Amino acid sequence: MTYLAVPISASNPDQAGDRMSAAIAGGAEILELRTDYIENLNVDIVKNLVFEAKNKLSDGPPIIVTCRDKRQGGAADYPLQLRIDVLTVAIDAGAEFIDFEYDNFLNIENRQRIISALSQNSNARLILSAHDFQGKFDDIAALHRSILAACPSAIPKLVYTANHINDCFEAFDLLKSTIGERIVFCMGKAGMISRILARKLGSFLTFASIDDESATAPGQLTVAQFNGLYRGNSIDSDTELFGVIADPVAHSASPAIHNACFADAGMNRVYLPLHVENGSAGFDSFMRNVMDRKWLKFKGFSVTIPHKDNALNFTKAVGGMVEPLAEKIGAVNTLILTPQGGLKAYNTDYAGALDAIIAGMEITKADLSGMKVAVIGAGGVARAIVAALSDAGARIFVYNRTVEKAQKLAAEFDCDSAGLDALANLDAKLIINCTSIGMHPNIDAAPVPVGVIKSRMTVFDTVYNPAKTLLLKNAKKAGAKTIDGITMFVNQARAQFKLFTKTDGDADLMRNVALENL
Ligand code: NAP
């Protein structure tokens, strides 16, 4: 069992009482009373708070009392003797756990006071903790052994700062290689997934805060995010892992979409935001970390900016299978880890766009043969769409701000090209915007002059934030058919979901969740 612990970081007893009630209502399975946050702290305050928690809050969860040393992240610089007094009083008042720093426990006098207090109450347990707010411990496995050697009945707590997502794997390895009660996870934004996976890997507890303001450590999630977005309640050792590899990743709607579909289908799977920094080197080592640890049960990834070509190169380097059109596009947005430990690479962007066009225009793929299409942009999305349309036999004209890039793309797929000024003379059955023009926050911009759009045309804007761009509004006014970027986004996510699960995700659910998260 991994408990969800909620820290109570209040500055006074009244606020602490309110926050304890809110934490219990929110689903806290353990309360951590961070007494170092209380101003003018004294032992009576702690005695009363523990008493209140134990007796006034009906069916209240177990309590950890902590008075953290300033050198290990404490909020105030209370003297060591007061901090030990607080812990001994907490034990007397009925707290189930006290948390004391391993470094301070090594001092014989401190140790004797703590052990003596614990011997008065057989229900109370000691958590012996070590924190590193800068980076990794020198040797986390040795530190774990030392803590247990110092007090075999204690629960070791080893928490360090991940400066890159790859730093999390040491925490995973320690949890995998040890048994018994232990608390292991990483702080910092880069360590966020270790807080979620603590439950999968059997850490005694993981922390989440009531809200962002009451978080007590960098990278801490809220209870709502942990249990809602990341399905923390349903994670266990069998949970299969998926995620989106990106840099940055915080803006991505993919975790919300895929987790909603996993929940809808009752699947024991969770989809994580995987912030992989340091370009291809960071990407390659992340993938090797994952592939070297099959026991983590990572099964598939969405891949986006800036890693689409890194994913292609890595798959080839490890002898994996690359879908031919992904190879032609030169970008991979989906990776599947096979049960044999191999890798398969796909691109669902082109199929997502093609399906959106076919459904939006109410045509078949064969109808695209010979159709005049104007593609605006020559970046990654334009490339996927040009490859798909070229495959279907369309007559494509590529327009781009940087003319050389338009020329290069056009030459590769045997089509025509020009700069954006030529858009004034555009004549096509289908216009597709593959630039970021019109994207939030520049929502008053459109790539195509108003008079160019005719009612016989269809206008497809790949921009999905906002869903109704100025280009689409202008097209609607001109009487043209419109296709929005959300449709393509949902289509490519559905294609990924199919590759991940071999089942279809609910398109309406995906669209609604995508709209809610933009
Ligand atoms: P990219 O590779 O960076 O390409 C960006 C393209 O936009 C280039 O052609 C660039 O022209 C052009 N551009 C950017 N700012 C411009 C400006 N101010 N004026 C004129 N042209 C400008 O990006 P991408 O991955 O292809 O993404 C392009 C857009 O597609 C995104 O902004 C996003 O809205 C949309 N998108 C949609 C989906 C979906 O599923 N619906 C998925 C991904 C992306 P230069 O070559 O001259 O720089």
Side-chain angles (χ1 to χ4, degrees), residues 304-305 308 349 352-353 376-383 399-403 405-406 420 433-440 442 447 460-465 484-493:
T304 186
I305 293 169
K308 287 185 178 182
D349 282 335
I376 309 164
V381 166
R383 210 177 153 73
Y399 300 84
N400 195 47
R401 176 176 64 180
T402 310
V403 181
K405 278 173 73 181
L420 293 184
N433 175 35
C434 300
T435 72
S436 48
I437 301 172
M439 191 170 87
H440 181 82
N442 302 315
F460 172 18
D461 200 340
T462 67
V463 170
Y464 57 84
N465 186 12
D484 66 27
I486 297 264
T487 307
M488 172 182 164
F489 185 72
V490 167
N491 284 349
Q492 63 80 27

Side-chain angles (χ1 to χ4, degrees), residues 148-161:
L148 276 181
C151 183
S153 61
I155 302 174
K157 179 183 177 198
L158 300 102
V159 179
Y160 63 90
T161 298

Side-chain angles (χ1 to χ4, degrees), residues 7-160:
I8 306 298
S9 56
S11 58
N12 62 64
D14 287 346
Q15 193 184 43
D18 292 347
R19 289 194 179 177
M20 286 195 289
S21 301
I24 293 169
E29 293 162 348
I30 287 190
L31 297 177
E32 187 201 34
L33 194 53
R34 281 291 299 267
T35 58
D36 48 299
Y37 278 80
I38 295 174
E39 289 164 4
N40 304 316
L41 181 68
N42 62 54
V43 290
D44 290 334
I45 292 176
V46 177
K47 192 193 292 177
N48 291 337
L49 272 176
V50 175
F51 184 80
E52 180 180 339
K54 290 284 93 191
N55 296 294
K56 287 202 201 145
L57 304 172
S58 59
D59 287 335
I63 296 191
I64 303 169
V65 174
T66 308
C67 194
R68 181 66 68 229
D69 190 336
K70 181 93 173 155
R71 292 170 303 165
Q72 293 209 26
D77 200 5
Y78 288 124
L80 180 63
Q81 290 316 313
L82 172 61
R83 294 195 298 102
I84 295 178
D85 289 346
V86 161
L87 299 184
T88 57
V89 159
I91 293 171
D92 281 348
E96 287 82 354
F97 301 94
I98 55 163
D99 178 332
F100 192 53
E101 300 82 26
Y102 167 63
D103 279 354
N104 291 326
F105 188 79
L106 290 177
N107 173 292
I108 190 151
E109 279 170 31
N110 299 338
R111 183 161 70 232
Q112 276 169 351
R113 285 199 64 201
I114 295 283
I115 296 287
S116 155
L118 284 164
S119 67
Q120 310 296 312
N121 183 343
S122 59
N123 291 327
R125 303 275 313 274
L126 172 65
I127 296 171
L128 269 184
S129 58
H131 301 84
D132 193 322
F133 281 84
Q134 304 305 319
K136 296 192 284 183
F137 296 115
D138 289 341
D139 186 342
I140 192 170
L143 181 57
H144 176 258
R145 286 193 297 274
S146 304
I147 294 176
L148 276 181
C151 183
S153 61
I155 302 174
K157 179 183 177 198
L158 300 102
V159 179
Y160 63 90

Side-chain angles (χ1 to χ4, degrees), residues 179-463:
I179 52 169
E181 293 161 327
R182 66 270 189 245
I183 301 165
V184 187
F185 60 85
C186 302
M187 295 180 285
K189 283 193 176 147
M192 194 263 269
I193 64 163
S194 72
R195 294 177 179 274
I196 301 170
L197 299 186
R199 188 159 262 176
K200 175 180 169 69
L201 299 170
S203 174
F204 180 69
L205 57 77
T206 185
F207 288 95
S209 57
I210 308 167
D211 50 36
D212 286 333
E213 288 72 48
S214 56
T216 51
Q220 210 168 69
L221 293 163
T222 64
V223 176
Q225 288 168 328
F226 183 83
N227 279 335
L229 178 55
Y230 298 116
R231 315 184 59 217
N233 275 336
S234 49
I235 291 176
D236 60 29
S237 58
D238 292 330
T239 303
E240 293 183 343
L241 307 182
F242 297 82
V244 54
I245 301 176
D247 179 19
V249 76
H251 67 286
S252 174
S254 296
I257 291 174
H258 286 279
N259 281 325
C261 289
F262 288 153
D264 183 54
M267 291 172 172
N268 190 3
R269 293 171 165 147
V270 66
Y271 186 102
L272 304 161
L274 302 165
H275 187 194
V276 176
E277 298 172 289
N278 299 350
S280 62
F283 180 90
D284 290 3
S285 50
F286 176 79
M287 288 304 298
R288 290 197 190 280
N289 277 323
V290 164
M291 292 174 80
D292 287 347
R293 293 169 178 80
K294 276 179 80 176
W295 45 268
L296 277 173
K297 298 195 177 132
F298 269 104
K299 300 291 176 185
F301 300 106
S302 310
V303 182
T304 186
I305 293 169
H307 292 304
K308 287 185 178 182
D309 55 345
N310 296 333
L312 175 69
N313 296 337
F314 182 82
T315 307
K316 287 202 234 171
V318 297
M321 186 287 291
V322 179
E323 174 196 36
L325 207 48
E327 172 95 57
K328 200 166 166 189
I329 295 166
V332 156
N333 81 333
T334 313
L335 290 172
I336 301 295
L337 292 144
T338 68
Q340 298 73 33
L343 201 57
K344 291 184 174 177
Y346 302 86
N347 188 312
T348 65
D349 282 335
Y350 79 88
L354 208 55
D355 290 348
I357 292 166
I358 288 168
M361 296 184 80
E362 300 175 88
I363 58 172
T364 64
K365 187 176 173 187
D367 295 327
L368 285 167
S369 180
M371 184 183 288
K372 282 174 89 173
V373 184
V375 172
I376 309 164
V381 166
R383 210 177 153 73
I385 289 181
V386 167
L389 291 171
S390 157
D391 207 43
R395 287 160 59 201
I396 306 160
F397 213 114
V398 180
Y399 300 84
N400 195 47
R401 176 176 64 180
T402 310
V403 181
E404 299 74 40
K405 278 173 73 181
Q407 286 169 339
K408 190 168 174 284
L409 178 61
E412 243 181 281
F413 291 92
D414 199 18
C415 38
D416 296 311
S417 63
L420 293 184
D421 49 349
L423 283 169
N425 306 314
L426 171 157
D427 180 32
K429 176 97 180 105
L430 171 62
I431 301 173
I432 308 176
N433 175 35
C434 300
T435 72
S436 48
I437 301 172
M439 191 170 87
H440 181 82
N442 302 315
I443 57 170
D444 294 327
V448 182
V450 174
V452 168
I453 305 171
K454 305 285 182 289
S455 61
R456 60 187 162 75
M457 297 177 170
T458 297
V459 177
F460 172 18
D461 200 340
T462 67
V463 170

